[in-house]
Amino acid sequence: MIVRFGLDQLALLRAELGLERPLLVTTPRFASLELPVARRFSGVQRHAPLDTVEEAEAAAAGADSLVGLGGGSAIDTAKAVSARRGLPLVCVPTTYAGAEWTSCFGMRDERQRLKTGGSGARTVAIVYEPELTVTLSREESGGPAMNALAHCVEALYLGDLEQARRGQAGIRRFLPLVLEDGDDRRARRGLLEAARYAGEALSLRGLYLGHAMAQALGGRYGFRTAPSTRSACLWPCASTPR
């Protein structure tokens, strides 16, 4: 997996990987962000509803690649389209949830009120840009960061893992600083780097009971966010639309 820091790396990756007609998959929040993409789909919705995924897939007609930018729902929507269309995907996560590290993805069947999903996303690169996290509120920062910490904890169920240790240490160090001052760029970068290791731990060890319960609750009740970091164990994995 190619991992880069800095949004300016997107143009370099596009040339390096030969991506000529990338489609941006994102939310209205980032619809006008200046990026080296050919087309844009900005209709991502919370929990990646099946209808939204189909709309994004239709928008990908003629594209040779995808850029998924946003929280877990944007990344999951892009991963679903990548799997269905067989397109390479560059992920640009704007929260700390770690969805960019797995080939599987969650979607929500809103009619049956349950989470479904699939696998087979072709993620080829991840670009982290700390500046995109500065506008996150305290709740939007704390919930996904605690979700990242849960990835580390669950990864350690099967024994010691360096990525999980580095992730939990970074979250422990930088999350309190981010919650105290969301404009602290150094803390934002440190927390994003910690989340990167948590995501890698997730990819190596998978999900366990805590996230299984969160997925069920998110699918049934459409939870958007944990009311506080103390209850972030109920944050549905990779469900943030921002």
Side-chain angles (χ1 to χ4, degrees), residues 206-225:
L207 297 173
Y208 289 84
L209 181 59
H211 277 85
M213 292 189 297
Q215 289 287 343
L217 289 168
R220 182 65 175 173
Y221 300 107
F223 287 151
R224 180 173 64 133
T225 181

Side-chain angles (χ1 to χ4, degrees), residues 2-81:
I2 300 173
V3 179
R4 304 273 175 84
F5 270 77
L7 208 54
D8 59 339
Q9 294 296 311
L10 264 181
L12 297 176
L13 280 170
R14 178 175 174 177
E16 182 179 329
L17 297 172
L19 310 179
E20 297 182 355
R21 301 180 307 279
L23 170 73
L24 175 67
V25 178
T26 190
T27 65
R29 185 174 188 170
F30 298 108
S32 60
L33 191 64
E34 186 174 345
L35 295 168
V37 295
R39 297 160 58 188
R40 296 167 183 260
F41 173 81
S42 58
V44 168
Q45 300 294 320
R46 186 171 70 243
H47 291 298
L50 292 174
D51 291 346
T52 302
V53 170
E54 291 174 2
E55 291 172 6
E57 183 180 3
D64 69 348
S65 54
L66 303 165
V67 174
L69 186 149
S73 291
I75 301 299
D76 270 8
T77 300
K79 288 197 296 185
V81 176

Side-chain angles (χ1 to χ4, degrees), residues 79-84 102-107 116-122:
K79 288 197 296 185
V81 176
S82 171
R84 292 181 176 191
T102 65
S103 63
C104 60
F105 48 87
M107 300 178 290
T116 182
S119 62
R122 294 182 53 204

Side-chain angles (χ1 to χ4, degrees), residues 43-197:
V44 168
Q45 300 294 320
R46 186 171 70 243
H47 291 298
L50 292 174
D51 291 346
T52 302
V53 170
E54 291 174 2
E55 291 172 6
E57 183 180 3
D64 69 348
S65 54
L66 303 165
V67 174
L69 186 149
S73 291
I75 301 299
D76 270 8
T77 300
K79 288 197 296 185
V81 176
S82 171
R84 292 181 176 191
R85 289 274 183 175
L87 297 175
L89 167 65
V90 177
C91 291
V92 186
T94 60
T95 68
Y96 311 107
E100 66 275 11
W101 277 94
T102 65
S103 63
C104 60
F105 48 87
M107 300 178 290
R108 187 173 191 238
D109 186 328
E110 296 189 319
R111 285 181 286 274
Q112 298 189 57
R113 297 175 62 193
L114 55 81
K115 289 297 283 286
T116 182
S119 62
R122 294 182 53 204
T123 305
V124 294
I126 303 169
V127 175
Y128 292 103
E129 175 50 75
E131 199 64 30
L132 293 177
T133 68
V134 172
T135 59
L136 295 175
S137 68
R138 196 171 188 271
E139 291 74 18
E140 291 170 334
S141 301
M146 292 299 288
N147 191 40
L149 182 61
H151 293 322
C152 296
V153 172
E154 290 188 337
L156 292 171
Y157 289 172
L158 293 181
D160 196 28
L161 183 67
E162 180 184 359
Q163 290 88 342
R165 294 291 183 187
R166 295 182 69 173
Q168 67 86 20
I171 294 167
R172 179 181 180 183
R173 177 181 178 186
F174 291 110
L175 179 56
L177 298 178
V178 166
L179 295 180
E180 181 179 349
D181 180 7
D183 291 328
D184 186 336
R185 264 64 174 179
R186 179 175 175 274
R188 286 287 188 183
R189 182 183 177 93
L191 186 57
L192 199 56
E193 289 175 344
R196 171 246 196 269
Y197 287 112

